[in-house]
Amino acid sequence: MQIILTGVAGFIGMSTALRLLNRGDTVIGIDNMNDYYDVNLKKSRLNLLLQHPNFKFIELDIFNGPELLKVFLHHSNSNVIHLAAQAGVRYSVDNPSAYSDSNLTGFINILEGCRAIETAHLVYASSSSVYGGNTKLPFTESDKVDHPVSLYAATKKANELMAHTYSHLFNIPTTGLRFFTVYGPWGRPDMSPHLFSESIVSSTPLRLYNQGEMTRDFTYIDDVTESIIKVLDKPATSSDLHDTLAPQPHISSAPYRIFNVGNDNSRSLIDYVNALEKSWGKTATKQLLPMQAGDVQNTAASSTALQDWIGFSPQTKLESGVQKFVDWYRDYYQV
C-alpha cells in the first residue's frame, strides 16, 4: 500500500510511518518542519524514517494548496493519513491565526487533494478536545460536541464536519480519530511527560493546574499507531443505523466514521505524577495552580465503537507506558 502521511516528523506521524514502513508499505511523508517546538527532535525522528528505502520525504506546508495538490497528483494511487496540524490547546488562545491556516485552510487542501485522486480512504486526526464542556463520562462518539472550550477544539470539530461534506458530496471514505492524551517515547516537549520529567530531573517546581484535580484518559503511542493502521485498512462505510430524523455525529449515510482512541481507563493527574516519580526514583516539588484557559477538568473515552470496528482498543497500563517514556528520555537526552 502507498500512503501519503502528513505531519510525518511529528510524534504520532513518525511512529505511524515507522510502523507502516516496517510492514512493507510505501510512505510519502509531508511536514513543514516548523519551530513550534524543538526542530532537532523532529529531525531525529525524520532520520529514523530516512533509513527506509520505501520512505520519501517532502518538506511542505499544507497551507500551500497548489504545491500540495501537485504532491497528491504525483502519487495518485495513495491512501491518506492526515496528522499535520497546529497542536496545543493553550497556544491557540494567543495564536489563533496559526490554527486557521493549518487546521482549517490546510484541511480543505487535504480534502481537495483526496478529491483530485479519488483516494480510497482518508484517516485524519481529530481530538478528545472536541468534547469541550461535556461532563457526562465516559465520552462516546454519539455525544453532541457543540460546546468547544478552545479554538483548537473548534478547528478539530470543524474538520469532522468538513470531512463529512466531502464524504457526502464526493463519496470519499473518511475516518476521524479522536485521540485522548497520547504519550510515550518521541513525544512533544511541550507535553506533560517532558515538562514533568524536566521538573523532576532539575528539582524545579512541577506545575499542576486546577490544583492537580484533573483526570485524563492517557493513551500510549503504540496503541494509537496500531489503531490508526487497523482503521486505515478498513475504510469507512455508510451506516444502516443512520437516522435522518435523529442523526448521530459519528455515522452517516455517507462513507464517514468517527472513533475515540482512548485507553478506556481514566486516571488522575496525581496517579500520572506518581508513576513518573516512581520511574525516575525521585519525588517532585509540586506547585498547585488554577485551571488554565481552554483546559477541561476530566476526560474519559469509551472505546467500544473502535473495538467493534477493528477488534482492537488501546490497553497499555499507565505505569508501563510511563516507564517506557522515561527509559527513552534518559537515552535521548543522556540524563
Side-chain angles (χ1 to χ4, degrees):
M1 185 187 298
Q2 179 172 278
I3 301 105
I4 295 173
L5 196 160
T6 69
V8 75
F11 173 32
I12 301 176
M14 181 276 285
S15 301
T16 303
L18 198 58
R19 203 176 186 101
L20 289 166
L21 291 165
N22 285 338
R23 77 169 192 175
D25 294 322
T26 297
V27 175
I28 313 301
I30 297 173
D31 203 293
N32 67 355
M33 304 297 287
N34 70 28
D35 60 358
Y36 170 65
Y37 62 83
D38 183 14
V39 175
N40 289 322
L41 179 59
K42 297 182 180 182
K43 290 179 179 178
S44 295
R45 295 181 187 135
L46 195 57
N47 285 336
L48 288 178
L49 300 175
L50 289 169
Q51 298 173 23
H52 288 260
N54 290 339
F55 178 71
K56 177 181 179 180
F57 176 62
I58 299 170
E59 187 169 348
L60 178 65
D61 194 322
I62 60 170
F63 182 73
N64 188 338
E67 290 302 314
L68 184 65
L69 183 59
K70 289 180 184 178
V71 173
F72 273 74
L73 292 174
H74 189 68
H75 304 91
S76 58
N77 187 30
S78 298
N79 286 352
V80 179
I81 299 176
H82 174 54
L83 302 173
Q86 179 56 61
V89 169
R90 294 163 189 164
Y91 188 70
S92 69
V93 175
D94 299 319
N95 299 276
S97 62
Y99 293 78
S100 62
D101 289 352
S102 183
N103 300 6
L104 298 178
T105 302
F107 193 67
I108 288 177
N109 292 339
I110 293 294
L111 290 170
E112 279 294 290
C114 291
R115 176 188 177 188
I117 66 172
E118 298 181 344
T119 187
H121 196 194
L122 164 64
V123 177
Y124 63 94
S126 185
S127 169
S128 61
S129 297
V130 301
Y131 290 105
N134 291 15
T135 57
K136 180 186 74 65
L137 299 175
F139 298 145
T140 62
E141 296 89 343
S142 59
D143 294 336
K144 290 185 177 180
V145 286
D146 298 330
H147 297 88
V149 296
S150 69
L151 180 62
Y152 170 71
T155 63
K156 288 299 183 178
K157 172 58 179 173
N159 288 171
E160 295 178 2
L161 297 174
M162 294 154 71
H164 182 270
T165 302
Y166 275 66
S167 293
H168 171 74
L169 291 175
F170 309 115
N171 202 39
I172 300 171
T174 67
T175 303
L177 300 178
R178 293 173 176 171
F179 298 130
F180 280 71
T181 314
V182 185
Y183 73 101
W186 296 101
R188 298 199 329 254
D190 63 319
M191 296 173 71
S192 59
H194 273 79
L195 297 175
F196 289 0
S197 290
E198 287 171 5
S199 295
I200 292 170
V201 170
S202 63
S203 299
T204 56
L206 189 158
R207 295 181 292 178
L208 296 175
Y209 293 99
N210 198 43
Q211 319 302 317
E213 296 179 3
M214 304 173 77
T215 62
R216 291 290 182 268
D217 206 321
F218 298 99
T219 315
Y220 188 64
I221 183 62
D222 288 356
D223 287 333
V224 171
T225 56
E226 181 75 8
S227 300
I228 292 171
I229 292 171
K230 285 184 177 296
V231 165
L232 177 70
D233 291 343
K234 188 174 180 180
T237 59
S238 62
S239 173
D240 294 336
L241 300 177
H242 176 66
D243 183 353
T244 56
L245 295 177
Q248 299 182 67
H250 65 301
I251 57 175
S252 175
S253 57
Y256 169 88
R257 300 276 171 155
I258 298 288
F259 296 107
N260 289 337
V261 180
N263 207 40
D264 229 354
N265 182 24
S266 189
R267 300 285 296 273
S268 72
L269 193 58
I270 299 301
D271 285 346
Y272 182 48
V273 172
N274 289 342
L276 281 165
E277 289 176 326
K278 182 177 180 181
S279 292
W280 281 109
K282 188 176 180 181
T283 301
T285 301
K286 302 170 184 67
Q287 181 182 11
L288 303 181
L289 299 168
M291 180 78 92
Q292 285 210 128
D295 269 352
V296 297
Q297 184 168 351
N298 302 302
T299 69
S302 168
S303 59
T304 301
L306 184 71
Q307 175 69 45
D308 290 346
W309 185 250
I310 60 172
F312 175 83
S313 60
Q315 51 199 291
T316 301
K317 300 292 185 184
L318 177 64
E319 289 75 13
S320 172
V322 165
Q323 184 63 62
K324 291 176 182 178
F325 167 78
V326 170
D327 291 343
W328 168 82
Y329 188 102
R330 286 182 186 277
D331 179 66
Y332 183 79
Y333 292 104
Q334 296 296 292
V335 176

